[in-house]
Amino acid sequence: MTLETSAIIEAIKAGSEKILFKLYESYRDEFVSWAIRNHQVSIEEAKDVFQESVVGLYKNVKTGKVDSLEVSIKTYLFSIGRNIILNSIKRKGIEAKAYENFKEGHDNAIHEQHEQEHILNLVKRLYEAMGSPCKEILEMYYERGFDMDSVALNVGYKNADVAKKKKYECLKALEERINMSKLKDILN
Amino acid sequence: MKMDESELIDKFLRGELTEEENQDFLKEIEANAELKKKLSLRKIVMEAIGLAYADKLKNSLVEFDKLLNRKRRFEFSWKMAAVFAVFIVTVSIVYFNVKNTNPYDFDVAEPGLPNEMGISKNLEFTRAMNDYKAGDLKLAAPVLNYLLTQNPKNDTLLYFSGICEFRNHNTAEAIRNWNQINSQSVFSNKVEYRLAIAYWVDGEPEKTQELLKKIKANKNHPYQKEAIKALRTFD
């Protein structure tokens, strides 16, 4: 991998999936060996963690948490992986403790967070249930940051206006489904 | 929601509005509760699409991992095949070299004489030559040796008897016969090479090399190429 860190970040921002797979291929084996050696995880666990690390890198770049890096991409990926492993170990301990010290009670913050996650998961499921090309159009536009010209090109539409109209219809259909579901009451 | 309004929300969330448009939109949100709700919903939709994409990416990486494993296995097979091929080639080379160090492999073919030549008038010689041509050297050798007792200086008899003895693994006899052929004989060049090989079989490689080098230096020697090839095994 000879690509500069900044070029990698720019490629991820531009919605390139290829670069993520390239990173995975380049560092997977090294990460797996490192994780097994230093954290006593299995090969499958190490691979799973590294996949999460690549997804984590993607999310952090997309949400703007990572705009430039002082370290190499490899070091960054390894630190995400290390955090995932350590959090997982810590979580296991906390969960065990929480179970031991469990008392009935009501924590509003936790409840709100849980409800937010619940809403997101329901919307996610409604989105995932959408057919093609709606799913692809919404993904390209909202997640991968494509402009309408690129969306049109990728889906095979005549021009950006046709793609824009289709995106609007897809979004309308999704929002209607949300409104028809039980989420309507929660959201209102 | 109308398309224009939907577009406006998208542009606001993607940061594509001008500073002025942005300020106007923020004011509109404050004043319009319905628009505020639509904006919240759009944010949730975008976040959900992001989550779905992250899941999809994770699944794609899982599949890609399997593909990588298959690719590595394939590469490994190729590596194994390459190692095997190198092994076979090495073994072949070693075998070839070992095989070529056998002096008998440097023996050259000698078709024999046609029967209509002067000497072939001798019935016994003709029979011996026929046996020789048929490859039956065990039969040819005693006849030629008998004829040699009648005509001990005959270079043709000495030459072919020598070949029979050499191929019958009576190397000393072959050397003795060939050494009696003088340098004026038509067989002298051929004998020079045959003697070199016979000395090799007889465990005298210095004599062999000396003769082979002499032949190598002679551009007109009929067995120059063969001598060069034989000399290579001494490198």
Side-chain angles (χ1 to χ4, degrees), chain A residues 156-171:
Chain A
Y157 288 148
K158 207 168 99 186
N159 54 43
D161 287 338
V162 180
K164 198 187 278 182
K165 191 166 180 261
K166 186 66 185 169
K167 183 204 78 179
Y168 171 73
E169 286 167 5
C170 294
L171 195 62

Side-chain angles (χ1 to χ4, degrees), chain A residues 95-144:
Chain A
E95 277 165 11
K97 229 176 194 175
Y99 181 75
E100 284 166 20
N101 302 328
F102 179 76
K103 282 177 195 161
E104 271 188 54
H106 197 77
D107 188 329
N108 277 336
I110 291 172
H111 177 74
E112 272 169 28
Q113 194 191 337
H114 180 75
E115 194 167 84
Q116 186 68 16
E117 279 172 13
H118 178 65
I119 292 167
L120 264 176
N121 278 321
L122 286 174
V123 175
K124 182 175 151 245
R125 265 157 53 190
L126 289 172
Y127 160 73
E128 282 171 337
M130 292 184 92
S132 192
C134 277
K135 254 173 86 174
E136 289 78 13
I137 290 171
L138 296 180
E139 179 190 291
M140 278 186 258
Y141 184 77
Y142 290 109
E143 184 55 25
R144 298 174 71 189

Side-chain angles (χ1 to χ4, degrees), chain B residues 46-76:
Chain B
M46 283 172 71
E47 207 176 330
I49 293 171
L51 275 180
Y53 183 74
D55 283 357
K56 193 179 123 185
L57 189 60
K58 173 74 172 35
N59 291 333
S60 302
L61 286 170
V62 171
E63 289 308 311
F64 183 64
D65 187 83
K66 288 176 192 163
L67 190 78
L68 270 184
N69 290 342
R70 280 201 293 274
K71 200 172 137 190
R72 297 272 158 91
R73 270 201 294 275
F74 181 70
E75 278 169 5
F76 182 70

Side-chain angles (χ1 to χ4, degrees), chain A residues 17 20-21 24-25 28-29 47-48 51-52 54-55 58-59 119-120 123-124 127-128 138-139 141-147 164-165 167-168 171 174-175 178 187-188, chain B residues 1-4 6-7 10-11 14 16 37-38 41-58 60-62 64-66 68-69 71-72:
Chain A
E17 283 181 345
L20 297 168
F21 290 99
Y24 184 81
E25 186 175 7
R28 179 194 74 170
D29 293 349
K47 279 184 185 178
D48 185 59
Q51 285 152 11
E52 292 290 348
V54 174
V55 175
Y58 166 80
K59 280 181 183 170
I119 292 167
L120 264 176
V123 175
K124 182 175 151 245
Y127 160 73
E128 282 171 337
L138 296 180
E139 179 190 291
Y141 184 77
Y142 290 109
E143 184 55 25
R144 298 174 71 189
F146 287 17
D147 59 22
K164 198 187 278 182
K165 191 166 180 261
K167 183 204 78 179
Y168 171 73
L171 195 62
L174 178 61
E175 287 177 348
I178 295 168
L187 290 168
N188 288 331
Chain B
M1 182 168 32
K2 286 178 185 166
M3 191 170 166
D4 288 348
S6 178
E7 280 298 304
D10 281 346
K11 281 187 175 175
R14 281 164 68 103
E16 291 172 355
K37 245 188 260 172
K38 285 172 186 171
L41 179 61
R42 186 67 50 90
K43 280 182 183 170
I44 291 169
V45 165
M46 283 172 71
E47 207 176 330
I49 293 171
L51 275 180
Y53 183 74
D55 283 357
K56 193 179 123 185
L57 189 60
K58 173 74 172 35
S60 302
L61 286 170
V62 171
F64 183 64
D65 187 83
K66 288 176 192 163
L68 270 184
N69 290 342
K71 200 172 137 190
R72 297 272 158 91

Side-chain angles (χ1 to χ4, degrees), chain B residues 163-232:
Chain B
I163 293 176
C164 292
E165 297 294 2
F166 177 77
R167 291 180 185 168
N168 288 333
H169 298 280
N170 300 320
T171 318
E173 287 300 310
I175 291 171
R176 200 167 56 84
N177 283 355
W178 285 332
N179 270 328
Q180 290 178 62
I181 297 174
N182 67 47
S183 58
Q184 304 304 311
S185 166
V186 288
F187 299 108
S188 65
N189 276 337
K190 291 180 174 182
V191 160
E192 201 170 29
Y193 178 79
R194 291 192 181 280
L195 269 172
I197 305 304
Y199 283 130
W200 192 358
V201 174
D202 214 31
E204 293 191 81
E206 294 82 11
K207 280 188 180 177
T208 302
Q209 287 185 70
E210 193 185 321
L211 281 169
L212 290 175
K213 279 176 190 167
K214 193 179 158 196
I215 297 166
K216 186 186 173 186
N218 182 358
K219 283 181 185 173
N220 298 318
H221 200 285
Y223 293 149
Q224 191 200 29
K225 279 183 187 171
E226 286 80 357
I228 292 168
K229 203 175 160 192
L231 265 175
R232 279 196 201 118

